[in-house]
Amino acid sequence: MSIWTTFHKWGSPRWFYQFSGRLLPWLGGLSLLLLIGGAVWGLALVPPDYKQGNSFRIIYVHVPASAVAMGAYMTMAIAGAIHLIWRMKLAAMVMKAIAPIGASLTFLALLTGAVWGKPTWGTWWVWDARITSVLILFFLYLGVIALHQAFENREAAAKACAVLVIVGAVNIPIIYWSVEWWYSLHQPASIRFIGESSIHPSMLRPLMATMAGMYLFFAWAMLLFTRNEILDRERNTRWVQDIVCGDDKNAESNSVL
Amino acid sequence: MYFDSIGELFAMDGHGPYVWFCYGITALVLCVILFEARRRRLGAEQRVRGVVRRKQASANKVKGKG
């Protein structure tokens, strides 16, 4: 199969709806398992940090929320670019679906960061590079949501959002390297892809679990929101009507039984 | 378990309220995301049913005239 056939297939809302339907139970089950397992592990099983004490356990929710909030933005930017370049309708739906999820995760990152800061740094908030750039990320997400609602015309909304999202993507490397570029109260990354991580393996393992769990949760939620968008926009097509009204018939026959 | 008792697990040497709040709010926000997905699904389904109803009503009208 050529790359263009694959591309066209992925661009078809109907194919995407059917394919994603098969992924949903796996993504949902695995993400909840990893998140709950990792949380129990991080809360009760690992020993406390020798400097921070037990407040370090917040790492198992704060770091996954922050990392996935940034990953979600990059996914949204790629979807925006695909929509602008190839006019793929599905990419615009994905972009719209990600915004509320990303905003929620960024809100979590900011809130858990503030609550972690109080016992560790002695303050809820500082206007330093890392924290301020994450706040900007939160406003970018809210901006995308507001921009979608501001337009009557769907095409115009998607185009404007794609431009905003792509321009805003410059913020992502700023967030990532802010702790290295500027003097910051926020600690540098504990996990490194190159070189040795500064976190003990016993503390790292539950973090890997909640991190993977959060990525899978994001994928799950993104598919759910995109599928809703597909149902809404394609409501005049026969296949969508069959899915919704077919469910009704099944429900009726079930209730009779 | 690292802690000796459930009481110690909740207290976490004074850090308990911070740690438990963070885990609680994370669980809450993830649940809100799933509820919102469900709410939108039901809304979208209702709009699809509206289209089907209107289509059937106009088809019946045409049949009635014929």
Side-chain angles (χ1 to χ4, degrees):
Chain A
M1 193 166 29
S2 81
I3 188 155
W4 281 109
T5 326
T6 318
F7 193 76
H8 278 288
K9 212 162 138 186
W10 274 94
S12 147
R14 183 179 184 175
W15 184 84
F16 182 88
Y17 189 92
Q18 283 159 349
F19 176 73
S20 60
R22 279 183 301 214
L23 290 180
L24 287 178
W26 295 99
L27 288 173
L30 209 57
S31 77
L32 293 183
L33 198 74
L34 283 165
L35 283 173
I36 294 168
V40 171
W41 197 350
L43 275 172
L45 303 182
V46 291
D49 184 73
Y50 82 104
K51 250 187 194 162
Q52 295 187 25
N54 283 305
S55 71
F56 106 96
R57 295 177 198 280
I58 295 172
I59 198 173
Y60 301 117
V61 289
H62 173 75
V63 171
S66 317
V68 179
M70 286 161 67
Y73 194 91
M74 287 318 286
T75 316
M76 194 165 73
I78 293 167
I82 291 176
H83 177 69
L84 274 191
I85 299 167
W86 290 290
R87 303 254 169 272
M88 192 198 269
K89 262 198 302 182
L90 185 63
M93 298 188 210
V94 170
M95 189 173 60
K96 191 178 174 192
I98 291 175
I101 309 166
S104 310
L105 293 176
T106 314
F107 169 75
L108 263 186
L110 287 167
L111 189 61
T112 56
V115 174
W116 195 0
K118 187 62 189 163
T120 316
W121 302 336
T123 177
W124 300 100
W125 188 267
V126 277
W127 289 102
D128 85 346
R130 170 56 71 84
I131 302 167
T132 310
S133 53
V134 175
L135 185 66
I136 292 171
L137 179 71
F138 183 58
F139 290 144
L140 277 168
Y141 274 126
L142 294 187
V144 174
I145 297 171
L147 205 54
H148 263 120
Q149 288 170 349
F151 283 88
E152 281 284 314
N153 181 301
R154 230 173 230 162
E155 280 299 307
K159 213 184 216 173
C161 285
V163 172
L164 171 67
V165 166
I166 292 167
V167 172
V170 72
N171 190 35
I172 296 295
I174 293 179
I175 295 177
Y176 191 78
W177 281 296
S178 56
V179 283
E180 321 260 337
W181 290 343
W182 293 285
Y183 172 76
S184 168
L185 204 51
H186 195 285
Q187 64 168 63
S190 304
I191 311 162
R192 293 180 184 282
F193 298 108
I194 309 155
E196 209 167 318
S197 294
S198 60
I199 180 170
H200 192 269
S202 70
M203 292 173 164
L204 182 63
R205 277 179 221 122
L207 183 57
M208 291 287 113
T210 51
M211 195 86 130
M214 196 65 94
Y215 268 110
L216 290 173
F217 182 89
F218 166 69
W220 184 29
M222 180 180 74
L223 291 187
L224 287 174
F225 275 69
T226 308
R227 285 160 62 86
N228 294 341
E229 200 60 33
I230 291 174
L231 286 189
D232 208 31
R233 293 194 194 190
E234 307 279 303
R235 59 175 176 265
N236 288 320
T237 62
R238 183 66 198 266
W239 72 270
V240 162
Q241 294 168 1
D242 280 348
I243 285 174
V244 174
C245 299
D247 282 351
D248 291 348
K249 275 175 206 150
N250 289 339
E252 274 165 29
S253 60
N254 284 341
S255 65
V256 170
L257 291 170
Chain B
M1 185 161 90
Y2 170 77
F3 298 95
D4 292 328
S5 68
I6 294 292
E8 273 183 43
L9 173 67
F10 279 106
M12 289 194 173
D13 297 322
H15 285 161
Y18 300 105
V19 175
W20 286 102
F21 172 80
C22 286
Y23 279 73
I25 195 76
T26 304
L28 182 74
V29 168
L30 297 188
C31 285
V32 168
I33 292 174
L34 293 179
F35 277 123
E36 178 62 18
R38 185 75 202 144
R39 198 183 64 84
R40 289 184 186 200
R41 166 92 196 187
L42 295 175
E45 281 184 359
Q46 214 159 19
R47 284 188 287 275
V48 174
R49 286 201 193 93
V51 171
V52 173
R53 255 199 311 273
R54 276 194 297 277
K55 210 163 74 173
Q56 276 167 352
S58 63
N60 288 343
K61 225 186 224 172
V62 171
K63 240 186 244 169
K65 273 182 191 166

